[in-house]
Amino acid sequence: MGDSAMDSTLPPPESAVPEGTLFSMTDVFLFSVIVGLLSYWFLFRKKKEEIPEFSKIQPTTSSVRESSFVEKMKKTGRNIVVFYGSQTGTAEEFANRLSKDAHRYGMRGMSADPEEYDLSDLSRLSEIDNSLAVFCMATYGEGDPTDNAQDFYDWLQETDTDLTGLRFAVFGLGNKTYEHFNAMGKYVDKRLEQLGAQRIFELGMGDDDGNLEEDFITWREQFWPAVCEHFGVEATGEESSIRQYELVVHTDINMNKVYTGEVGRLKSYESQKPPFDAKNPFLAPVTLNRKLNQGGERHLMHLELDISGSKIRYESGDHVAVYPANDTSLVNQIGEILGVDLDIIMSLNNLDEESNKKHPFPCPTTYRTALTYYLDITNPPRTNVLYELAQYATDLNEQEHLRKMASSAAEGKTLYHSWVLEARRNILAILQDVSSLRPPIDHLCELLPRLQARYYSIASSSKVHPHSIHICAVVVEYETKTGRVNKGVATTWLKNKVPNENGHKVMVPMYVRKSQFRLPFKPSAPIIMIGPGTGIAPFVGFIQERAWLKQQGKDVGETVLYYGCRHENEDYLYREELAQFHKEGALTQLNVAFSRDQAQKVYVQHLLKKNKEGVWKLIHEGNAHIYVCGDARSMARDVQNTFYEIVAEFGSMTQPQAVDYVKKLMTKGRYSLDVWS
């Protein structure tokens, strides 16, 4: 019974299926599944194809358009592009001046940051009639390119692009006190010619140790006639002032959209996000600020910045960059003289809508913020600023006085050199001394250069202090020929960054710049360090690291220091620390020159000569690495000459052979410099 019941539920045998039925129920089910899967696959595949098609094409065309300066020049009717390699803003300023000059010759120019464009496009510049590429290239450190020109430099070294048809000119910015004077300008000039480009005017070489402004003006006044002759154009005679930015005053704006001193992203100081660099500095709390010297008129200081949680890494020998603020009293005095409300919120918007640079500094902001955090108000203004400002002097004699200093005439250059440079007149002093000069504050803000970060050699080792960076600096303060007291922007600002006992944090916007000033890879290699004054800074880090390596059981070579200061009882920096390192054996030799404690001045080079035989033995037999830090103008040069003498005497060489020997040490990385002028 059960069997017959089960049988009655079974489907009929295949032979019993009626002839009109083509598919079984199973077939229908399977067919439905297959159709469903195919439909799903088709729809899914279609979506997957459509989305990448859209997202791929859009950014690619956009990035090509944005990175092509040639396409931009075509679109905006430009035929001159002025690239700048700038570390402190001067090369950028010169590039802007040259690009603005172009209109006087019926041409249109644009200044450009090489970091923002694809420089391989130089091969296409000849597609534009009467086109010209100008390069204002600063040399940084020991013959290095500036940060923003590094990619351009790398490209020049690697490329074999044919630049036939490209016309160019180069103005280099350097300093003769440095070993590799104008190395970047020389290299760009030579390399472009090697690649087939045509130089239309000789390489200009500005010397910041002399008068960089005058060098630029002299080159520029010969450069433009050469351009006119090459392209067959004439000066239009237009010398009128051309505003690059227009003022917009904001009367009703959300304060959350107003910049208050940030150098990059709006509100970046309120919500800090790594990685931290020049465009996104870290706000480091100051944990210690102590005076180093025991007496004397100067103020030498040691600061410690807390970098905990920032993910910032540094090595001994690196530099820390800090963004300072101008003295509030100077800012207030400018506001009073010009009779303006410094708390007006405004923007300066570029009249050239195609320009990558929309504002001269972060906008919208207040005049007070701009003058405090964004603009350089303490350095003597350049001649182009005087020329632009002259139109606002209502007294004709004062107007003529300003115009004369801005001219290329010999008398004008001499007057500018004595009245502005030698007298160290900043913009406030000029407004005070030229009583009829009362320019609109927005035009003044447009003309003043940007306030730049200041660099200091780090005075600590990350092996010993991984969460803090130490600074050693001297406060700059001096009286000018006009009787005014000028103060260094950054050092005066740092001096006042004293940690508060009530727990209120004082902050310093900073980032780390990598350096080539490095300890030897092998700790067993001997080192000779020469660093008078605050030049001792990186060597404090070096000695800390060598002491740490010794504690780790490493074989550490001789660690020799030559340090100098004025008076033993006044400005002997890190005296106790150095004595302790010497006592523990981390510092093998401690040689100190006190220049003014006796009738005859004694400097570090004198101590090197005194120990010349031991110095030669360390260099020649011990393969010692030599490090020099401090003043480039006299100390570094005198020390180098001393090494020439030691090498010549004990190596039995002629003077040229000794020079070549020391130069080879530099090439091998065994003679390193960290100097400033």
Side-chain angles (χ1 to χ4, degrees):
M1 189 177 163
D3 288 344
S4 61
M6 284 177 67
D7 288 344
S8 67
T9 62
L10 292 173
E14 285 183 24
S15 57
V17 177
E19 286 181 18
T21 305
L22 295 174
F23 302 105
S24 70
M25 289 294 288
T26 304
D27 292 330
V28 170
F29 173 75
L30 288 171
F31 180 77
S32 300
V33 170
I34 291 166
V35 169
L37 287 170
L38 283 169
S39 302
Y40 177 79
W41 176 81
F42 180 78
L43 290 169
F44 181 75
R45 183 200 62 158
K46 193 175 180 183
K47 281 183 183 176
K48 200 167 185 179
E49 284 179 357
E50 283 177 352
I51 292 170
E53 286 289 328
F54 180 79
S55 62
K56 259 184 193 170
I57 293 170
Q58 186 95 0
T60 304
T61 55
S62 171
S63 64
V64 167
R65 186 172 66 248
E66 288 172 5
S67 67
S68 174
F69 66 88
V70 172
E71 292 304 319
K72 185 172 183 177
M73 290 172 72
K74 287 179 179 179
K75 184 180 177 182
T76 57
R78 315 294 173 106
N79 57 345
I80 294 181
V81 58
V82 191
F83 291 103
Y84 56 85
S86 188
Q87 197 70 30
T88 63
T90 308
E92 180 180 1
E93 185 188 329
F94 286 177
N96 288 333
R97 286 162 69 175
L98 288 171
S99 66
K100 284 177 74 175
D101 282 345
H103 82 281
R104 297 176 185 163
Y105 306 93
M107 306 171 100
R108 291 196 71 198
M110 65 176 257
S111 62
D113 184 341
E115 199 171 34
E116 296 178 355
Y117 296 100
D118 180 0
L119 271 292
S120 64
D121 250 12
L122 284 169
S123 61
R124 295 181 50 224
L125 188 58
S126 57
E127 294 173 10
I128 299 172
D129 291 337
N130 289 354
S131 59
L132 172 66
V134 185
F135 299 85
C136 290
M137 309 306 294
T139 298
Y140 183 78
E142 294 307 304
D144 303 319
T146 57
D147 291 346
N148 76 313
Q150 184 66 55
D151 290 344
F152 173 45
Y153 176 73
D154 293 342
W155 176 76
L156 280 177
Q157 287 191 308
E158 296 163 8
T159 191
D160 56 0
T161 304
D162 183 4
L163 295 183
T164 301
L166 172 69
R167 286 162 292 213
F168 77 94
V170 179
F171 182 80
L173 295 83
N175 188 310
K176 275 186 177 166
T177 60
Y178 288 76
E179 181 70 24
H180 305 281
F181 174 59
N182 258 314
M184 188 60 181
K186 291 173 183 175
Y187 176 74
V188 171
D189 183 70
K190 180 181 177 182
R191 186 65 180 136
L192 290 174
E193 185 180 46
Q194 288 173 344
L195 293 169
Q198 179 187 3
R199 183 189 299 104
I200 69 157
F201 189 62
E202 65 189 30
L203 168 67
M205 290 197 286
D207 178 18
D208 200 30
D209 187 49
N211 187 337
L212 188 59
E213 174 74 8
E214 187 173 319
D215 293 338
F216 174 68
I217 291 171
T218 302
W219 179 84
R220 174 182 167 219
E221 68 188 21
Q222 296 170 37
F223 163 73
W224 283 114
V227 172
C228 290
E229 184 180 346
H230 184 87
F231 292 113
V233 296
E234 292 182 3
T236 61
E238 292 180 33
E239 293 286 332
S240 59
S241 170
I242 299 175
R243 290 293 298 269
Q244 190 177 349
Y245 299 92
E246 66 174 347
L247 171 67
V248 175
V249 175
H250 305 283
T251 53
D252 184 21
I253 188 171
N254 183 341
M255 291 305 291
N256 287 325
K257 295 181 179 178
V258 178
Y259 283 86
T260 56
E262 310 95 318
V263 296
R265 178 174 54 86
L266 183 66
K267 303 298 176 189
S268 60
Y269 289 168
E270 292 179 18
S271 58
Q272 294 259 277
K273 296 175 184 175
F276 297 105
D277 53 28
K279 295 176 183 176
N280 182 37
F282 175 65
L283 273 184
V286 179
T287 56
L288 180 68
N289 185 343
R290 68 181 176 97
K291 187 178 180 182
L292 287 172
N293 52 316
Q294 296 77 40
E297 295 177 359
R298 299 184 303 161
H299 183 96
L300 295 116
M301 56 193 172
H302 170 91
L303 287 93
E304 297 184 6
L305 309 180
D306 184 1
I307 57 170
S308 301
S310 67
K311 297 184 179 176
I312 289 174
R313 301 287 178 266
Y314 74 95
E315 298 292 332
S316 301
D318 283 343
H319 300 138
V320 58
V322 302
Y323 284 101
N326 286 311
D327 191 326
T328 53
S329 67
L330 298 181
V331 173
N332 289 335
Q333 286 179 73
I334 290 174
E336 288 166 12
I337 281 182
L338 297 180
V340 295
D341 177 2
L342 294 177
D343 296 312
I344 289 172
I345 300 169
M346 57 83 196
S347 291
L348 289 179
N349 299 334
N350 203 321
L351 291 163
D352 177 6
E353 294 179 359
E354 296 296 325
S355 174
N356 285 7
K357 190 174 183 180
K358 302 302 179 188
H359 315 281
F361 44 77
C363 290
T365 190
T366 64
Y367 288 121
R368 185 181 305 282
T369 298
L371 291 169
T372 303
Y373 298 104
Y374 300 142
L375 298 171
D376 185 344
I377 62 173
T378 58
N379 273 314
R382 299 197 185 277
T383 57
N384 66 305
V385 176
L386 300 182
Y387 176 81
E388 297 271 357
L389 291 179
Q391 62 186 305
Y392 299 113
T394 53
D395 183 291
L396 293 180
N397 289 329
E398 290 185 337
Q399 189 178 109
E400 177 58 27
H401 176 66
L402 292 169
R403 286 224 165 100
K404 185 182 287 185
M405 288 189 291
S407 73
S408 56
E411 186 184 355
K413 289 178 180 177
T414 302
L415 184 60
Y416 172 75
H417 191 265
S418 61
W419 198 82
V420 177
L421 295 183
E422 287 186 348
R424 300 298 299 172
R425 276 185 172 88
N426 56 33
I427 191 62
L428 175 59
I430 288 170
L431 291 172
Q432 289 170 338
D433 293 346
V434 184
S435 57
S436 78
L437 177 62
R438 296 297 177 261
I441 191 168
D442 60 292
H443 198 180
L444 181 65
C445 288
E446 176 180 326
L447 293 170
L448 291 174
R450 283 291 296 270
L451 181 60
Q452 299 294 324
R454 281 8 185 214
Y455 296 90
Y456 297 94
S457 301
I458 296 176
S460 55
S461 165
S462 59
K463 298 289 191 294
V464 182
H465 301 282
H467 302 302
S468 70
I469 283 176
H470 301 179
I471 295 174
C472 172
V474 58
V475 176
V476 176
E477 187 173 317
Y478 59 93
E479 187 174 327
T480 70
K481 289 183 176 180
T482 65
R484 294 179 172 91
V485 174
N486 281 3
K487 297 179 180 180
V489 177
T491 53
T492 302
W493 175 75
L494 284 171
K495 180 186 177 184
N496 296 321
K497 292 285 180 182
V498 180
N500 203 317
E501 290 180 2
N502 63 15
H504 177 70
K505 289 183 178 179
V506 287
M507 316 294 270
V508 169
M510 53 74 68
Y511 68 95
V512 168
R513 188 182 195 276
K514 296 298 177 186
S515 164
Q516 299 301 315
F517 202 69
R518 287 279 184 269
L519 279 168
F521 180 73
K522 291 183 178 179
S524 58
I527 62 171
I528 303 171
M529 303 168 287
I530 302 108
T534 56
I536 195 174
F539 302 137
V540 173
F542 279 14
I543 298 164
Q544 284 178 1
E545 188 149 327
R546 302 272 278 192
W548 179 84
L549 288 166
K550 207 175 174 86
Q551 287 171 1
Q552 306 305 305
K554 302 286 184 184
D555 177 20
V556 178
E558 284 196 55
T559 304
V560 179
L561 175 66
Y562 285 85
Y563 170 66
C565 61
R566 295 177 181 179
H567 301 284
E568 182 176 6
N569 296 321
E570 278 188 11
D571 53 357
Y572 188 167
L573 307 184
Y574 300 105
R575 182 174 187 164
E576 291 79 13
E577 292 93 326
L578 293 175
Q580 188 63 31
F581 281 128
H582 191 218
K583 182 181 177 183
E584 293 170 357
L587 188 57
T588 318
Q589 286 183 39
L590 176 58
N591 306 284
V592 187
F594 305 109
S595 62
R596 303 183 188 182
D597 274 350
Q598 59 284 313
Q600 189 76 26
K601 287 187 178 179
V602 177
Y603 296 115
V604 284
Q605 61 266 28
H606 298 131
L607 297 188
L608 282 168
K609 286 180 185 176
K610 184 180 176 184
N611 301 331
K612 56 188 178 181
E613 193 170 351
V615 168
W616 169 249
K617 192 175 180 182
L618 277 174
I619 297 169
H620 190 62
E621 296 176 17
N623 291 319
H625 288 237
I626 301 164
Y627 300 91
V628 182
C629 182
D631 167 52
R633 187 176 285 110
S634 52
M635 182 279 297
R637 190 177 288 169
D638 291 342
V639 165
Q640 200 160 314
N641 287 333
T642 301
F643 276 111
Y644 292 156
E645 291 174 22
I646 292 171
V647 170
E649 181 180 348
F650 290 93
S652 301
M653 300 180 201
T654 63
Q655 176 70 7
Q657 286 173 330
V659 169
D660 186 55
Y661 182 94
V662 172
K663 302 281 187 192
K664 282 178 180 173
L665 289 179
M666 291 178 174
T667 306
K668 292 175 183 175
R670 283 183 52 205
Y671 192 120
S672 302
L673 297 158
D674 181 4
V675 293
W676 54 85
S677 62

Coordinates of all heavy atoms in Angstrom, one line a residue, residues 177-178 630-637 675-677:
T177 N 80.5 83.5 -1.7 CA 81.2 83.0 -0.6 C 81.0 81.4 -0.5 O 81.7 80.8 0.2 CB 80.6 83.6 0.7 OG1 79.2 83.3 0.8 CG2 80.8 85.1 0.8
Y178 N 80.1 80.9 -1.4 CA 79.9 79.5 -1.4 C 80.8 78.8 -2.4 O 81.1 79.4 -3.5 CB 78.4 79.1 -1.7 CG 77.5 79.4 -0.5 CD1 77.1 80.7 -0.2 CD2 77.0 78.4 0.3 CE1 76.3 81.0 0.8 CE2 76.2 78.7 1.3 CZ 75.8 80.0 1.6 OH 75.0 80.2 2.7
G630 N 79.0 77.2 9.9 CA 79.1 78.5 10.4 C 79.1 79.5 9.2 O 78.6 79.3 8.2
D631 N 79.8 80.6 9.5 CA 79.9 81.8 8.6 C 80.7 81.4 7.3 O 81.8 81.0 7.4 CB 80.6 82.9 9.3 CG 81.0 84.0 8.3 OD1 80.1 84.5 7.5 OD2 82.2 84.5 8.4
A632 N 80.0 81.6 6.1 CA 80.7 81.3 4.9 C 81.7 82.3 4.4 O 82.7 82.0 3.8 CB 79.6 81.0 3.8
R633 N 81.4 83.6 4.7 CA 82.1 84.7 4.2 C 83.6 84.7 4.6 O 84.5 84.9 3.8 CB 81.5 86.0 4.6 CG 82.1 87.2 3.9 CD 81.4 88.5 4.2 NE 80.1 88.6 3.4 CZ 78.9 88.5 4.0 NH1 78.8 88.3 5.3 NH2 77.8 88.6 3.3
S634 N 83.9 84.4 5.9 CA 85.3 84.5 6.3 C 85.7 83.2 7.0 O 86.7 82.6 6.5 CB 85.5 85.6 7.3 OG 84.5 85.6 8.3
M635 N 85.0 82.7 7.9 CA 85.4 81.5 8.7 C 85.6 80.3 7.8 O 86.7 79.7 7.8 CB 84.4 81.2 9.8 CG 84.8 80.0 10.7 SD 84.4 78.3 10.0 CE 82.7 78.3 9.9
A636 N 84.6 79.9 7.0 CA 84.7 78.7 6.2 C 85.8 78.8 5.2 O 86.5 77.9 4.9 CB 83.4 78.5 5.5
R637 N 86.0 80.0 4.6 CA 87.1 80.3 3.6 C 88.4 80.1 4.3 O 89.4 79.5 3.7 CB 86.9 81.6 3.0 CG 87.8 81.9 1.8 CD 87.4 83.3 1.2 NE 86.2 83.3 0.5 CZ 85.5 84.4 0.1 NH1 86.1 85.5 0.3 NH2 84.4 84.3 -0.6
V675 N 77.0 76.0 5.7 CA 77.4 77.4 6.0 C 76.4 78.4 5.5 O 75.5 78.1 4.7 CB 78.8 77.7 5.3 CG1 79.9 76.9 5.9 CG2 78.7 77.5 3.8
W676 N 76.5 79.6 6.0 CA 75.5 80.7 5.7 C 76.3 82.0 5.6 O 77.4 82.1 6.2 CB 74.4 80.8 6.7 CG 74.8 80.9 8.1 CD1 75.2 82.1 8.7 CD2 75.0 79.9 9.0 NE1 75.5 81.8 10.0 CE2 75.4 80.5 10.2 CE3 74.9 78.5 9.0 CZ2 75.7 79.7 11.4 CZ3 75.1 77.8 10.1 CH2 75.5 78.4 11.3
S677 N 75.8 83.0 4.9 CA 76.5 84.3 4.8 C 75.6 85.4 5.4 O 74.4 85.2 5.6 CB 76.8 84.6 3.4 OG 75.6 84.7 2.6

